[in-house]
Amino acid sequence: LLVEFEVVDPAKALFEVEDWRQALRNVVVHSATSILCTKEFWQILTARNEIADALFKDITQETSRWGIQVNVVLLKNVRLI
């Protein structure tokens, strides 16, 4: 999972969330887990763009309050462990 972002409001990034880096990691992991666990492996492989769009919306909804703008979310290197 690749998330490209930028801090567009440094004041919000400092004061709206305790540690924006850790909070960003947490929201990305939570969103990925909640969206991907509802899919079968073949669905993840065939609908990567749609899943990435859903992740983008989910992550952006949270990070916009922190002054962080998510530019791109890509689902890459999907494999079965």
Side-chain angles (χ1 to χ4, degrees):
L1 187 63
L2 172 77
V3 178
E4 182 182 296
F5 68 93
E6 61 185 303
V7 176
V8 293
D9 189 337
K12 280 186 177 181
L14 286 173
F15 299 114
E16 292 294 322
V17 65
E18 186 172 326
D19 179 354
W20 67 265
R21 288 179 184 93
Q22 186 60 43
L24 180 59
R25 274 188 215 101
N26 290 344
V27 78
V28 167
V29 168
H30 175 73
S31 295
T33 303
S34 65
I35 290 172
L36 292 175
C37 75
T38 65
K39 309 287 184 203
E40 301 230 5
F41 187 67
W42 67 269
Q43 292 172 311
I44 295 170
L45 292 176
T46 58
R48 290 194 311 191
N49 290 336
E50 292 83 7
I51 294 169
D53 289 342
L55 287 166
F56 177 84
K57 290 175 187 169
D58 201 33
I59 295 167
T60 301
Q61 191 173 39
E62 195 67 30
T63 60
S64 62
R65 297 183 297 124
W66 308 333
I68 297 172
Q69 176 181 316
V70 175
N71 297 324
V72 177
V73 175
L74 297 173
L75 202 57
K76 298 179 74 169
N77 299 331
V78 177
R79 63 179 177 253
L80 192 57
I81 297 176

